[in-house]
Amino acid sequence: MTTGLPMPVRDPRLPTRVRIYEVGARDGLQNEKTAVPTATKAEFVRRLAGAGLGTVEATSFVHPKWVPQLADAEALFPLLADLDGVRLPVLVPNERGLSRALALGARDVAVFASATESFAKANLNRTVDEALAMFEPVVTRAREAGAHVRGYLSMCFGDPWEGPVPADQVVAVCRRLIDMGCDELSLGDTIGVATPGQVAALLTGLNGAGIPTDRIGVHFHDTYGQALANTLAALRHGVTTVDASAGGLGGCPYAKSATGNLATEDLVWMLHGLGIETGVDLGLLTATSVWMAEQLGRPSPSRTVRALSHKD
Ligand code: HMG
Ligand code: MG
């Protein structure tokens, strides 16, 4: 039987509202083997916004040879200019990327650091220190231009080359991102290996280093099926910003073992079931992921999308 909505039962230890930071159009599509047409991407972002998502990461102004799937950022971003009331963050790795983004009127940008040397090299062609040095002028200039700056940090729990990542190592890089002026952080479990105890321990460590929970978002990939459990651990700690990808699209082209992100529909099902407001219409969102799956020619990996779109 297909039911449309979960039955809400509140847990008083959890926040009453969560901001979903939708990454499907960026983290999802950056990993597709085939290039998705620009018009389809624009339609995807519009539908996501129409489903009530207030933050929809749109694309990346990275080197087009490094991520050819998003090489159309210049063509895509202006197609979204009339979308009112929706934040459309974009990734910018360096000053070149920032200039491209600001020239098109981007108001929300994100730099993306790594907690490990191996991934810094693979993803940014830099050491951790060199990458942070590259970001520093980006963050300063972005803030001077009035943009909101997110600092992603990848490999916060485990790294495919280096194994488990000590929390202290992650906290140290987070502190540097905050000190250089990032408004918020997003803790990436890039390869999806974290478990809830690790999440709680890292959040406690960050608080201990003077980084308040209201500046921390979580970004879980679902490789080992832990993303929702990890999200719940973060919510219990007071986190209210959760990254997710419509339909569970995603991965990382420079970390082969990464699968899709936590699916936004699976997240919304849990949050609404817990009586937590998101502003998202689950029916419209699911219809968007079903439509996107048709464009990509394969079914959505999201359990909730499959359940809600199942036809007997
Ligand atoms: P590099 O090869 O070291 O580049 O790449 P460079 O600085 O040596 O510059 C070489 C040439 O590229 C120069 O051109 C630059 O102008 C040009 P030339 O002077 O030789 O003609 N160039 C650019 N062109 C356009 N836009 C730019 C740009 N930058 C340089 N922005 C670089 C260094 C950082 C650019 C490269 O490594 C890169 O683009 N990496 C991006 C990788 C990426 O996007 N990965 C996926 C996103 S991260 C992720 O998914 C994780 C996350 O989801 C969280 C999680 O799950 O953990 C966020
Ligand atoms: Mg990611």
Side-chain angles (χ1 to χ4, degrees):
M1 190 186 75
T2 302
T3 60
L5 293 170
M7 190 181 102
V9 179
R10 273 233 17 101
D11 178 340
R13 292 171 298 176
L14 300 180
T16 54
R17 189 171 177 91
V18 161
R19 171 172 78 122
I20 299 180
Y21 186 108
E22 170 61 45
V23 298
R26 192 279 305 170
D27 210 348
L29 299 187
Q30 77 180 8
N31 214 41
E32 284 302 314
K33 288 193 176 61
T34 52
V36 175
T38 309
T40 306
K41 291 178 181 171
E43 173 81 9
F44 187 36
V45 173
R46 284 178 181 285
R47 285 186 181 226
L48 292 169
L53 288 154
T55 306
V56 183
E57 199 166 69
T59 186
S60 298
F61 290 89
V62 295
H63 195 300
K65 286 204 183 115
W66 280 68
V67 186
Q69 295 89 335
L70 304 184
D72 61 351
E74 257 83 11
L76 173 66
F77 202 74
L79 298 179
L80 309 171
D82 62 320
L83 270 178
D84 280 334
V86 183
R87 291 168 69 171
L88 298 170
V90 294
L91 264 58
V92 292
N94 52 17
E95 292 213 78
R96 175 83 192 276
L98 178 68
S99 299
R100 292 171 59 203
L102 291 179
L104 295 174
R107 309 295 305 149
D108 287 86
V109 300
V111 294
F112 44 105
S114 170
T116 64
E117 293 296 344
S118 302
F119 188 64
K121 199 75 191 159
N123 199 44
L124 295 159
N125 198 24
R126 302 282 186 280
T127 64
V128 168
D129 280 346
E130 286 166 353
L132 292 170
M134 176 168 75
F135 298 143
E136 196 142 12
V138 176
V139 176
T140 304
R141 251 183 71 207
R143 284 174 59 94
E144 280 166 8
H148 178 94
V149 184
R150 164 176 261 221
Y152 275 107
L153 188 62
S154 288
M155 304 299 173
C156 287
F157 303 95
D159 172 287
W161 301 277
E162 299 181 22
V165 180
D168 288 357
Q169 188 174 323
V170 179
V171 170
V173 184
C174 285
R175 188 66 254 175
R176 290 172 71 182
L177 287 167
I178 289 287
D179 290 345
M180 76 172 68
C182 289
D183 295 293
E184 66 173 84
L185 299 176
S186 172
L187 307 176
D189 182 16
T190 320
I191 54 169
V193 291
T195 47
Q198 254 186 306
V199 172
L202 178 56
L203 290 166
T204 302
L206 289 166
N207 296 154
I211 302 174
T213 305
D214 63 6
R215 291 178 75 179
I216 302 171
V218 287
H219 179 106
F220 296 122
H221 287 256
D222 205 22
T223 320
Y224 288 82
Q226 304 298 301
L228 268 185
N230 290 335
T231 301
L232 192 55
L235 297 177
R236 287 219 171 106
H237 195 91
V239 167
T240 57
T241 296
V242 180
D243 299 4
S245 169
L249 294 172
C252 178
Y254 293 102
K256 290 296 172 216
S257 47
T259 65
N261 294 72
L262 167 61
T264 314
E265 291 84 355
D266 298 12
L267 173 65
V268 169
W269 184 274
M270 183 180 80
L271 294 177
H272 289 185
L274 286 162
I276 297 173
E277 284 175 43
T278 65
V280 173
D281 180 319
L282 185 56
L284 287 177
L285 178 61
T286 302
T288 299
S289 289
V290 169
W291 168 82
M292 195 62 207
E294 283 163 12
Q295 309 306 307
L296 297 173
R298 58 185 157 71
S300 159
S302 159
R303 298 287 184 89
T304 301
V305 170
R306 287 183 187 201
L308 291 178
S309 60
H310 182 73
K311 295 185 191 79
D312 319 281

